[in-house]
Amino acid sequence: RMVLEKIVHLEALEDIARLPKHAERVIAAAAYYVGIGLSVVPLQIGGKELPPKKYKVGFPEATKSEKTVLRWFSEGGKFHGWNIGIVGGKSDGVFIVDVDVEDYKGRKGFVTLAELEDEHGKLEAPYAKTPRGGRHYFFKWDYGCGSRNNGLGPAIDVKGGKMEAHTGFVAAFPSVVDGKTYEWQCGGAIPDLPEWVVNKVFKTESAILSHGGKGGRGNEEMEAEDTETRYDLGSLYKMVAYINPDN
């Protein structure tokens, strides 16, 4: 199967942003995203939640099909005028680093990010600004990198998945939440995950696997893996390989 090279072109997205209606921008952006190999889902109008269960559209229905997104979002489609999300995970998908301005405990994501970059170097990847001023960095998904709140530290969540399953997502341009729009600010080719990010995600996942953490689910702030963590054999193998027997 051919894998598309994922390159975020700011010029194309700026053209989409100039379309007069939100619904038109969503249709165009959805077609653009699937055209560069990103999987998308509809999100509720004015929000960042997956559709209610009655619509039967969730992670398993995330799509890279232009035909599907046109059916969803075009006039007369059941998701016309809704928001849109980009999902993480799967073998040719993306992994998203979600930096919050401040979490519910008052911890500041950009302070955490500065500390991580001081230690490991600048995080370089295409990114989008969220309505609250946070940031979504987009990388190629790496084997075993799942979704977890505070996966890289306080107020920095990670959105990934498994080899054959999406488990995380973020709302994406041109979605509107609280009257403000998600905006792409840095384009370019979506790069491989830095090794230190992969290692840190495995460390977090291994700790949770050992201590049995649980959370909630409902919108992009809470992921499928926060309620139930199941690991495929390959993920467990890499976690075990990560452990240093001398520690």
Side-chain angles (χ1 to χ4, degrees):
R1 182 179 58 176
M2 183 181 71
V3 177
L4 295 172
E5 185 175 6
K6 297 174 177 62
I7 302 176
V8 177
H9 299 93
L10 290 183
E11 297 84 358
L13 293 160
E14 288 166 358
D15 288 342
I16 293 171
R18 285 191 281 269
L19 293 172
K21 296 180 180 180
H22 170 71
E24 294 174 350
R25 294 191 290 273
V26 171
I27 296 166
Y32 176 80
Y33 291 145
V34 300
I36 62 170
L38 300 178
S39 295
V40 301
V41 289
L43 302 180
Q44 295 186 36
I45 296 172
K48 48 187 179 179
E49 300 85 20
L50 290 168
K53 288 184 178 180
K54 66 179 182 179
Y55 288 95
K56 298 180 180 180
V57 174
F59 288 121
E61 289 72 40
T63 187
K64 295 180 182 178
S65 164
E66 182 175 2
K67 182 178 179 180
T68 299
V69 297
L70 291 177
R71 186 178 72 248
W72 280 350
F73 295 113
S74 293
E75 189 170 356
K78 59 184 175 181
F79 301 118
H80 182 66
W82 288 45
N83 281 343
I84 187 171
I86 296 174
V87 298
K90 299 191 78 167
S91 57
D92 59 349
V94 292
F95 182 87
I96 306 147
V97 175
D98 180 2
V99 183
D100 290 330
V101 172
E102 184 174 298
D103 68 10
Y104 71 97
K105 292 183 178 180
R107 300 175 299 184
K108 301 184 185 303
F110 285 103
V111 171
T112 302
L113 179 63
E115 293 171 350
L116 292 170
E117 290 185 331
D118 283 345
E119 181 178 358
H120 302 287
K122 187 175 176 60
L123 204 59
E124 295 184 340
Y127 63 80
K129 180 182 178 182
T130 73
R132 292 184 58 205
R135 194 175 289 174
H136 294 158
Y137 289 91
F138 290 79
F139 296 91
K140 294 177 183 176
W141 180 80
D142 201 350
Y143 193 72
C145 289
S147 302
R148 184 63 55 191
N149 291 338
N150 304 307
L152 284 187
I156 300 184
D157 303 336
V158 294
K159 320 281 186 172
K162 302 181 177 73
M163 177 64 78
E164 295 299 334
H166 304 291
T167 64
F169 70 97
V170 293
F173 165 84
S175 296
V176 177
V177 175
D178 296 329
K180 296 182 179 180
T181 305
Y182 289 78
E183 300 175 357
W184 285 96
Q185 293 194 324
C186 179
I190 295 178
D192 293 332
L193 263 175
E195 185 176 357
W196 70 265
V197 175
V198 177
N199 289 341
K200 194 167 183 66
V201 171
F202 276 132
K203 185 175 182 179
T204 302
E205 294 284 353
S206 297
I208 291 169
L209 183 63
S210 298
H211 296 97
K214 288 190 176 183
R217 187 186 178 216
N219 59 31
E220 73 164 32
E221 308 296 338
M222 299 176 184
E223 309 303 338
E225 290 181 8
D226 287 325
T227 57
E228 182 179 14
T229 303
R230 294 181 179 179
Y231 297 87
D232 56 56
L233 185 60
S235 299
L236 290 169
Y237 178 81
K238 289 195 74 172
M239 288 180 189
V240 172
Y242 174 79
I243 298 171
N244 185 344
D246 296 326
N247 289 341

